[in-house]
Amino acid sequence: MRRPNFFIVGAPRCGTTALCSYLKQHPEIWFSVDKEPHFFGSDLAPQPGTVREEDLYLALFAGAGERPRAGEGSVWYLSSRRAPAEIRAYAPDAKIVILLREPAQMAYSLYSLYCRTGNEDLPTFEEALAAEPERRDGRRLPAGVYFPMGLLYTDAARYAEKVERYLTVFGRENVHCILFDDFVRDTVLAYRRCLEFLGVDPGFEAELDPGQANQRIRMLAVRQLRQLPPELLRRIRFQEMKLHDGAAPRPPLTAAAAERLRSLCADDVARLGALLGRDLGAWTRGEAVAPEPAARKAPRGDVLASMRALRSFPPALRAKHDKVETLERKFARWQKMRVPELSLEQRPYSPAWPAWFAGEEARIVAALGPRAARIEHFGSTSVPGLSSKNVIDIAVGLEGPPDPAAETALAGIGYASYGNSPVDPETLWLWKFDDDRAFVLHVCDHRRPWIGEQADMREYLRAHPLERDRYAEMKRLLAEEKDKGLLHYSLRKLAITVEMVDRAQTWRAAAGRAPNTAP
């Protein structure tokens, strides 16, 4: 039987219900009519409506047919320590979607919901927060409580460790995090990005008004319900669904309760920001997070110039480069990259550059410890006599692929993530700006071949001043074409770099020098 292959895992009260109603409209997506079956998470106490029998669970996806995506949205999977591994074992290629909201507002919304559904009986949120220590020990629970874990509002409001578990189990490329602020501010953009992540048509136009969206999917839900086994129908809590958003609004969150929660969650917010590569400091002030900077779209003229540069690659060099990633794929990836504002101005060689590298290397080693298997200074600032931008490029080779723990450690010394590195699709790109200089880390498994190639080129240019000067002149001419855009500059420079790497490896082999491979 058909198994689900994407999961909205939480957090509660962060917009998951609205997102599900939008995804249900897409012709390439089948979404469970029972939004929250909570089949996974064996460490979670069963709630009314929980579906733990596999035959009943799979019945929720029986009508998916040939649709590329089938999913569900159990919001407490995020809090479960076991759910990530259990989902991965059941659906190894699954995509994970996580929605996150400012912690104090999320916790208060959850409290308000539970007051309506009977899971909570304390009259104020402040009393509920104060009762958490006793409730953690199983005391002061409401007579009608059906999910005690949900009453630990402070725990629910801490996200970083939970998100990190999913990033570790599934890999960053299979986890998509949506901030509630982004979702509310530009729902069309957030929806399109989610569709792109799921690999379905991002051009589909859904009804994004929540009330109208529910009307649009009503008949689909009726058809799905008719196909379900009677036992499954008895499990679905229709009355509770109506209570989610239908009751009169409660008084606003008090300033004292908000300040207490934000103070308790401040460190967690900082850790989460490092994981996501976003500045979430606004949450600690009760404000919306600023929009994520959009990837700069190259003007049409820049793209055309870049395409001409792409076609100018000599076939022999192209064949060598395409072993890891085709030029066309690299070009497509570069077009989507988030790139810092950067001048292409070339500066004369500075003796300070190697000293800056040495100081930064020590900080990286201290941050990563034994995980740092190899650290190399590469690029133009690593070659005496070569002009360059005031940017120190550093290859950081780890024992294994980069993980959230490594990113968090590097964020602790000032680095922000900019996604994948332009040099390699399996390498992370982290930047740190310091006045008019920048340090750029390219973090990957130390066995990635590009590290050795860059080290070969560095040694070749150090040993051949004439080649170094020829390379410098080619770079100077390229910088004069800066009106054609950074994309064109990068592709033209790539052609030069591929040629230099080829010459460097030929020289190394002829000289009988050992390959610059992983230690």
Side-chain angles (χ1 to χ4, degrees), residues 63-370:
E66 298 302 316
R67 292 175 177 84
R69 290 290 171 193
E72 52 119 321
S74 301
V75 296
W76 288 99
Y77 287 163
L78 185 62
S79 293
S80 168
R81 293 182 176 275
R82 296 179 185 172
E86 291 173 357
I87 294 171
R88 182 67 188 273
Y90 198 76
D93 298 323
K95 296 287 188 180
I96 303 297
V97 178
I98 303 174
L99 287 89
L100 303 168
R101 183 180 183 180
E102 189 271 300
Q105 291 295 336
M106 185 283 294
Y108 184 59
S109 180
L110 185 62
Y111 163 80
S112 300
L113 170 67
Y114 283 159
C115 286
R116 297 196 295 270
T117 62
N119 198 48
E120 176 63 86
D121 66 351
L122 293 178
T124 69
F125 187 43
E126 289 83 352
E127 289 178 79
L129 292 177
E132 285 188 6
E134 293 175 90
R135 287 175 160 181
R136 197 180 300 276
D137 292 334
R139 293 176 287 123
R140 290 197 67 183
L141 297 177
V145 67
Y146 58 84
F147 190 54
M149 178 180 177
L151 300 178
L152 303 177
Y153 302 107
T154 305
D155 287 0
R158 292 189 173 108
Y159 305 131
E161 181 181 340
K162 304 167 188 176
V163 171
E164 188 169 1
R165 277 199 293 267
Y166 278 91
L167 292 173
T168 300
V169 171
F170 287 91
R172 186 170 292 273
E173 68 279 7
N174 294 313
V175 178
H176 181 58
C177 293
I178 303 171
L179 299 187
F180 183 79
D181 297 334
D182 294 336
F183 189 51
V184 171
R185 180 170 37 232
D186 193 340
T187 307
V188 173
L189 177 61
Y191 181 62
R192 179 173 59 78
R193 287 180 172 172
C194 187
L195 297 180
E196 290 174 347
F197 169 73
L198 294 175
V200 297
D201 178 14
F204 175 77
E205 296 184 7
E207 173 56 67
L208 300 181
D209 175 85
Q212 294 297 319
N214 286 333
Q215 289 294 328
R216 180 172 289 191
I217 63 176
R218 188 179 302 277
M219 289 310 299
L220 170 63
V222 170
R223 289 195 297 272
Q224 286 183 281
L225 289 169
R226 287 173 177 167
Q227 298 172 6
L228 296 182
E231 173 58 27
L232 199 48
L233 282 172
R234 285 192 289 271
R235 303 274 184 95
I236 299 177
R237 306 185 74 199
F238 296 103
Q239 188 59 37
E240 185 176 312
M241 290 179 186
K242 296 177 183 178
L243 293 172
H244 267 244
D245 299 296
R250 296 183 66 83
L253 174 65
T254 65
E259 176 59 31
R260 176 183 175 186
L261 260 178
R262 287 167 188 151
S263 176
L264 289 172
C265 294
D267 289 344
D268 187 78
V269 167
R271 180 180 171 190
L272 178 67
L275 284 173
L276 302 184
R278 295 285 298 272
D279 180 1
L280 303 182
W283 279 358
T284 65
R285 303 185 297 273
E287 301 169 1
V289 172
E292 185 174 17
R296 291 182 299 164
K297 190 172 181 179
R300 178 176 171 81
D302 292 0
V303 174
L304 293 175
S306 301
M307 291 299 293
R308 288 192 290 271
L310 194 63
R311 289 193 293 268
S312 71
F313 261 75
L317 290 180
R318 170 187 280 270
K320 292 183 178 182
H321 179 277
D322 284 0
K323 291 178 181 177
V324 173
E325 181 183 31
T326 67
L327 289 172
E328 286 76 15
R329 282 186 178 274
K330 186 181 288 288
F331 178 63
R333 187 164 60 84
W334 283 4
Q335 284 183 290
K336 299 176 183 178
M337 275 182 8
R338 184 170 146 238
V339 182
E341 293 291 341
L342 192 65
S343 169
L344 300 181
E345 176 193 359
Q346 301 290 307
R347 302 188 181 194
Y349 178 78
S350 170
W353 288 341
W356 291 352
F357 163 72
E360 200 61 21
E361 179 184 27
R363 282 185 281 273
I364 294 167
V365 169
L368 293 177

Side-chain angles (χ1 to χ4, degrees), residues 350-462:
S350 170
W353 288 341
W356 291 352
F357 163 72
E360 200 61 21
E361 179 184 27
R363 282 185 281 273
I364 294 167
V365 169
L368 293 177
R371 285 177 291 182
R374 182 181 190 182
I375 299 178
E376 297 276 0
H377 185 193
F378 74 97
S380 296
T381 59
S382 70
V383 180
L386 196 57
S387 62
S388 175
K389 301 183 294 294
N390 207 30
V391 175
I392 309 298
D393 280 290
I394 303 174
V396 179
L398 304 176
E399 288 288 356
D403 56 20
E407 283 191 70
T408 301
L410 294 170
I413 57 173
Y415 284 92
S417 173
Y418 277 74
N420 288 102
S421 166
V423 300
D424 179 72
E426 296 185 26
T427 297
L428 296 184
W429 203 27
L430 293 88
W431 285 70
K432 178 168 74 173
F433 295 93
D434 183 8
D435 293 329
D436 68 338
R437 65 179 181 174
F439 295 92
V440 185
L441 304 189
H442 306 257
V443 185
C444 62
D445 188 300
H446 70 100
R447 290 170 284 266
R448 294 298 295 169
W450 73 265
I451 301 181
E453 293 170 356
Q454 289 294 330
D456 281 341
M457 178 175 164
R458 178 193 64 205
E459 299 307 313
Y460 176 70
L461 294 177
R462 285 176 176 176

